[in-house]
Amino acid sequence: MHPFLPALRQGLDDLRLTLGDDQQDKLLAYMDLIARWTKVYNLTAVRDAHEMLTHHLLDSLAVIAPLRRELAKLVLLASTEQGASSVEAGGAMPPFRLLDVGAGAGLPGIVIAIACPDISVTCVDTVAKKAAFIQQVAATLKLPNLKGLHARVESLTQPYDVVCSRAFASLQDFTAWSTSALAPRGIWMAMKGKHPDQELAALPKSVYVFHVEQLQVPSLDAERCIIWMRG
């Protein structure tokens, strides 16, 4: 048994999140891969294993329930727009597409790909070695819904239902750089620490903040929130 499995399971209980044994094993295998690659490529400043669990895994897992809630709203909106005829014809929603901008070591994108196999996750980073790491994780952990992409987010034009970031840039820069990748009904999910009052005030009128959600990360005594936005 992995030495951090009990702590991970306790964190999942605290988050009221249910994941299968295989998903739990993949999360811990991913944490081990970060530790191994960081020795050579400096993927993250966090080196302590306990901190990796709280600051990386649990911090990213804290967004899973809110993300699922917002995606359920998109399903409801799409089904309303398509009407009963589509439902009667057996029309099914295609997999949701999520873009993780400035993914670094793959946080939160890889965690989302493991916890939500029904979401197609692309992690984009301008640093080639980080995109290569994400590709390696996808191959090693057999995650067909995960892809690492070496590119600038401004160059992406394929539509994503959710465009997310974690401690990436100011809200203004994040939304401006990634607006071409946001689907017409898509949403931005920006993970932040303290409530970013100044960043929120600097957003243009074209960006609508529809929810600022406080998060409680197990075993982490620090402020965390999600800024939910639409174009």
Side-chain angles (χ1 to χ4, degrees):
M1 184 176 72
H2 194 286
F4 285 96
L5 183 58
L8 173 61
R9 286 179 171 170
Q10 182 59 57
L12 291 171
D13 286 344
D14 293 341
L15 290 168
R16 298 180 180 179
L17 197 60
T18 301
L19 295 181
D21 291 344
D22 181 59
Q23 290 170 300
Q24 295 174 33
D25 290 343
K26 286 182 177 180
L27 285 170
L28 293 171
Y30 166 48
M31 190 175 83
D32 292 341
L33 284 169
I34 293 178
R36 196 176 311 150
W37 275 59
T38 290
K39 292 177 182 177
V40 180
Y41 293 110
N42 196 30
L43 292 175
T44 172
V46 177
R47 303 298 178 99
D48 179 77
H50 289 89
E51 287 193 6
M52 278 194 184
L53 179 68
T54 55
H55 289 63
H56 287 343
L57 291 192
L58 295 180
D59 187 65
S60 295
L61 285 166
V63 309
I64 299 298
L67 174 62
R68 286 175 174 167
R69 181 198 66 226
E70 294 303 324
L71 289 179
K73 292 179 184 178
L74 290 182
V75 170
L76 183 61
L77 178 63
S79 62
T80 301
E81 290 179 345
Q82 290 171 2
S85 59
S86 174
V87 176
E88 291 168 0
M93 286 290 296
F96 280 109
R97 290 164 49 83
L98 180 142
L99 179 68
D100 183 6
V101 180
L107 299 154
I110 293 177
V111 172
I112 293 171
I114 293 171
C116 305
D118 54 326
I119 299 177
S120 176
V121 177
T122 298
C123 296
V124 62
D125 203 286
T126 56
V127 180
K129 65 186 178 185
K130 293 180 178 178
F133 170 72
I134 292 160
Q135 286 287 80
Q136 183 62 49
V137 172
T140 302
L141 302 186
K142 296 179 173 59
L143 297 170
N145 62 323
L146 174 66
K147 181 173 74 172
L149 184 63
H150 176 219
R152 298 189 66 84
V153 66
E154 300 96 317
S155 68
L156 305 184
T157 56
Q158 287 188 329
Y160 290 86
D161 303 292
V162 180
V163 178
C164 76
S165 68
R166 177 177 180 265
F168 167 64
S170 70
L171 294 174
Q172 184 175 9
D173 286 343
F174 167 54
T175 53
W177 294 340
S178 62
T179 189
S180 62
L182 191 70
R185 298 287 187 185
I187 53 178
W188 280 296
M189 181 182 81
M191 297 173 64
K192 292 287 184 177
K194 294 183 179 181
H195 192 283
D197 297 290
Q198 292 185 341
E199 291 184 34
L200 288 166
L203 282 171
K205 292 182 179 179
S206 58
V207 177
Y208 170 60
V209 178
F210 65 90
H211 187 31
V212 177
E213 183 167 4
Q214 298 299 318
L215 296 177
Q216 186 62 51
V217 180
S219 303
L220 184 60
D221 185 21
E223 292 183 60
R224 292 288 188 271
C225 67
I226 302 175
I227 313 299
W228 296 99
M229 299 166 285
R230 290 192 184 92

